[in-house]
């Protein structure tokens, strides 16, 4: 048996686990649209529910290579921002950064992947940012239902050596709202980040670079389809990711920009 033939059935079972039925997606969206997580509904949907000092965490009950995702919801609300990392294990540091920002008190929710983006010796890969019929997208929609003016932030990592333009290669961050016509809101966020992260370079797609615009992002497409404009796609260089994890003051400035708390 070839390796491809061996992996294919596993990949199929993983996709079926992650890409839920329509009724499950509707229930997942409603779960995250509420002011509080209903533990029984979460359990019925395949999550394990745990409580901590910040609120409630929903993790994949199946564990292993399953791709349902991990979701944290703050008790008592918080600023209407969801801080997410769909490639938290392969985009080094993005999961840790999303978690750190949430634990610092930024955002009402956080989420990241529970299966790797790229195939490993243990698990086939699964790309949450391209998964429309998935709990991760239902979470984004439910969050936007709960907070009509809220912001869903995605943290991604990029390698400057793989960029095709000098500007993108040298940038610390590329900001997009997954459209070719960036909104005033995303431009304001980019301006805030430029000041908070100075002298690092923050570019806006497609105004200042034509790369990494997230034009095929599944969560952005779903939010745009319902008329919700609160989506921010942030591509971070490795140097910036490491600096944000190491420097609490720098991270606080970043958190204030995405949460709208900056003066």
């Amino acid at each position: 048996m070839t390796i491809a033939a061996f992996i294919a059935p596993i990949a199929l079972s993983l996709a079926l686990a992650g890409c839920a039925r329509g009724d499950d997606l509707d229930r997942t969206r409603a779960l995250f649209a509420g002011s509080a997580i209903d533990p029984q509904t979460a359990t019925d949907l395949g999550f394990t529910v745990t409580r901590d000092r910040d609120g409630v965490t929903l993790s994949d009950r199946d564990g292993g290579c399953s791709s349902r995702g991990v979701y944290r919801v703050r008790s008592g609300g918080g600023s209407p921002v969801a801080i997410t990392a769909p490639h938290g294990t392969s985009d080094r540091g993005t999961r840790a950064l999303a978690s750190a920002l949430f634990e610092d008190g930024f955002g009402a929710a956080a989420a990241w992947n529970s299966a790797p983006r790229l195939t490993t010796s243990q698990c086939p890969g699964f790309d949450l940012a391209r998964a429309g019929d998935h709990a991760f997208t239902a979470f984004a929609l439910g969050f936007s239902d709960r907070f009509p003016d809220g912001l869903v932030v995605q943290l991604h990592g990029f390698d400057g050596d793989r960029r095709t333009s000098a500007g993108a290669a040298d940038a610390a961050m590329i900001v997009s709202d997954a459209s070719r016509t960036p909104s005033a809101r995303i431009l304001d966020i980019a301006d805030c980040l430029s000041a908070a992260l100075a002298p690092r370079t923050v570019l806006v797609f497609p105004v200042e670079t034509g790369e990494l615009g997230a034009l095929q992002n599944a969560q952005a497409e779903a939010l745009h389809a319902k008329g919700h404009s609160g989506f921010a796609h942030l591509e971070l260089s490795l140097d910036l990711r490491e600096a944000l994890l190491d420097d609490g003051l720098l991270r606080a400035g970043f958190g204030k920009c995405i949460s709208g708390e900056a003066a």
Side-chain angles (χ1 to χ4, degrees):
M1 179 182 290
T2 66
I3 293 177
F6 177 75
I7 288 178
I10 301 175
L12 177 60
S13 65
L14 175 62
L16 292 175
C19 297
R21 302 188 309 271
D23 55 343
D24 283 350
L25 291 173
D26 290 342
R27 294 176 69 201
T28 301
R29 176 173 176 172
L31 176 71
F32 290 114
S35 58
I37 295 294
D38 177 53
Q40 186 58 58
T41 300
T43 300
D44 292 345
L45 288 167
F47 292 106
T48 294
V49 182
T50 56
R51 297 186 181 277
D52 55 35
R53 63 182 178 84
D54 293 314
V56 178
T57 299
L58 278 61
S59 54
D60 205 320
R61 188 174 63 225
D62 296 333
C65 293
S66 192
S67 63
R68 198 170 277 106
V70 176
Y71 307 88
R72 299 186 68 181
V73 178
R74 190 179 307 282
S75 297
S79 58
V81 177
I83 306 169
T84 72
H87 307 143
T89 49
S90 57
D91 288 1
R92 186 169 42 170
T94 55
R95 172 177 174 168
L97 180 56
S99 180
L101 286 163
F102 185 79
E103 291 172 5
D104 288 344
F106 296 106
W112 47 79
N113 58 316
S114 55
R117 178 185 185 183
L118 304 176
T119 298
T120 68
S121 58
Q122 292 81 29
C123 299
F126 192 82
D127 186 350
L128 283 191
R130 297 294 180 92
D133 295 332
H134 191 279
F136 196 74
T137 302
F139 161 80
L141 289 171
F143 186 86
S144 71
D145 293 337
R146 182 183 177 193
F147 298 107
D149 296 321
L151 183 71
V152 177
V153 176
Q154 281 193 6
L155 306 178
H156 294 261
F158 76 95
D159 181 354
D161 291 340
R162 299 178 63 184
R163 306 279 42 94
T164 59
S165 64
D170 294 336
M173 183 186 296
I174 298 173
V175 177
S176 168
D177 60 3
S179 80
R180 294 193 179 278
T181 54
S183 66
R185 184 177 189 178
I186 203 70
L187 294 174
D188 287 344
I189 290 171
D191 285 345
C192 183
L193 289 168
S194 292
L197 303 176
R200 301 170 180 85
T201 301
V202 176
L203 302 180
V204 178
F205 173 91
V207 180
E208 297 166 309
T209 179
E211 301 189 60
L212 300 175
L215 296 180
Q216 296 180 324
N217 185 282
Q219 291 74 49
E221 289 178 353
L223 290 169
H224 291 166
K226 67 163 287 192
H228 185 85
S229 60
F231 179 81
H233 184 273
L234 308 182
E235 290 275 0
L236 287 71
S237 70
L238 180 58
D239 286 347
L240 179 56
R241 281 171 268 157
E242 291 176 340
L244 288 167
L245 287 170
D246 291 341
D247 188 335
L249 288 176
L250 186 69
R251 189 169 65 247
F254 179 95
K256 289 177 180 178
C257 287
I258 62 173
S259 65
E261 298 176 19

